[in-house]
Amino acid sequence: MYKALIVDDEEIERNGMVNLIPWEEQGIEIVGDAWNGFEGYQMVKEMEPDIVITDIKMPGMDGIELIAKVQKDYPDTFFIVLSGYGEYEYTSRAMELGVKYYILKPCDETKILKVVNQVKLEIQEKKKCKRYEDKKYNEEIKKLLPRAREQFFNKVLSGVIVSNREFQIYQGNNEADNKVCILNCRIDGEIDDLGKFVLQNITEEFITLEKVVMSTYIDNEVVFMLKDVNITFIRSVIQKLRIEYKNYCKKQISAALSDTDEFINMKELYDQTRERLFFDSYGSTHGLATAESLRKAGEENLRLLDFDKFKQVDDYVTLLYETNILFAKLTLEHYNTDEIKNVVVTLLNNLLKEEIQELQIQVQDKRSKRELYKYLIDKIVRNKPLILGYTHNGSRDNNRIQEILFEIYSNLDQRNLSLQWLAKDILFLNEEYFGRLFQRTMNKKFSTFVFEIRIEMAKRLIQFKPELLISELAELVGYTADGQYFSKVFKKYTNVTPSEYKEMVMK
């Protein structure tokens, strides 16, 4: 059934054509009638007819204007023009617009149906040609499919607008095929196309080609669209892939897996993987960044980070103490430098409300725990108003005591930490001056200060991890690993042994 629209300003003729001709017998459905070009164009937009039968001379928008506007917006529409004697100028302009079918007024049913049937034949022929072209096009696509598929995937992920027709060709007819996810494998550092090709092939071998819908390279990323996979399987693939690729190309790989969604949403899924790689810049998910792994990494950071205590810090001494506790926890959990960067960025983002990306740039060149420790202290000192936490003796002595306190806290795990060692080997100060300045400022001897901090730290670490071995705890706070002397001084300060304190915590 073909759809037709009649446009004529003469109501009697318009109604006659609509009602008196047996359109259905000819396979035609009249979807509407209009009295001028404006109304006719609105109906074309709504009904999208195959054929428009239109008068030429009409008020407002005439037939010529209607033809030109519809051909621009709906080029597959066929026109039959109704024209009277003396309207040669109009019919000439219609011909220039490519109209081939005319009926001279007055017109009867026979004339109209003869021309309509000619139009129907042309529409059928055009559709037949289109089917042939589509078939030929699809056959060519299949020949070039591997490369064309890669180019299509690359264009979409790069933000290039592609036609709905291309999406239809590649997404398949099965609804299950339309549910996909994106795996993004990012190679650290510069890599050539051979390196990307190797990664692509190893990954497809591990995953199996049946599950890989398409793949492409974007900068230092090798991106895969996958179907019928689960996170556990992909995580095992990435673990093997990281080992295999490092052996072959001496490069590290970071990977992220998107959620599962419709085929047409592949760009959003790809952006999701890039966002997950960004938030996992320091490898907190240990290989594969997913929604769940990032959530767990965040929870682990919350377990290590005592945000409330950091928010309550209002003096320099307490800041040093809390930072030292944090870094001791990170040592206990065997965090590497990159993982510590992630924790530091998370803390500063929550504490100072700075952008994560900017913080990541700032910590990028930090190569050791000590550098990160100092960066964290300095960053908070610059951005948060703090009191000193000790007796103020003038700007010169104040700067000196801050330096002394920083070195004490950052070296608490060193067994050789002493007034003599700090003065001579670290700060290059006269020992007597050092001792007098410290006692005058802190109102206690150096040895007493260090002893109290170490035991308080030990108590906090037991609260954090009660199953911690006494020998490991002793080393963390600057005592020998046998734990005997540590247990003795711990009991002297707390009236209970470390083991007894652990039992109290675990109750």
Side-chain angles (χ1 to χ4, degrees), residues 1-5 23 26-28 49-54 71 75-82 98-103 110-128:
M1 188 76 75
Y2 296 96
K3 295 188 294 183
L5 172 70
W23 294 105
Q26 305 299 319
I28 301 286
D50 302 294
I51 304 167
V52 176
I53 302 171
T54 182
Q71 283 187 339
D76 291 332
T77 307
F78 281 79
F79 280 89
I80 299 173
V81 169
L82 304 173
V99 176
K100 297 189 292 185
Y101 301 99
Y102 301 88
I103 300 174
T110 305
K111 285 182 183 178
I112 293 171
L113 290 181
K114 180 180 177 182
V115 175
V116 166
N117 284 321
Q118 288 177 334
V119 173
K120 280 170 55 181
L121 287 173
E122 185 169 347
I123 293 174
Q124 290 168 4
E125 189 62 30
K126 186 174 181 180
K127 286 185 176 180
K128 191 185 296 181

Side-chain angles (χ1 to χ4, degrees), residues 434-447:
F434 184 121
R436 287 197 306 272
L437 173 63
F438 190 87
Q439 187 159 356
R440 184 172 71 247
T441 306
M442 304 307 297
N443 298 315
K444 61 182 67 176
K445 290 182 179 179
F446 176 89
S447 57

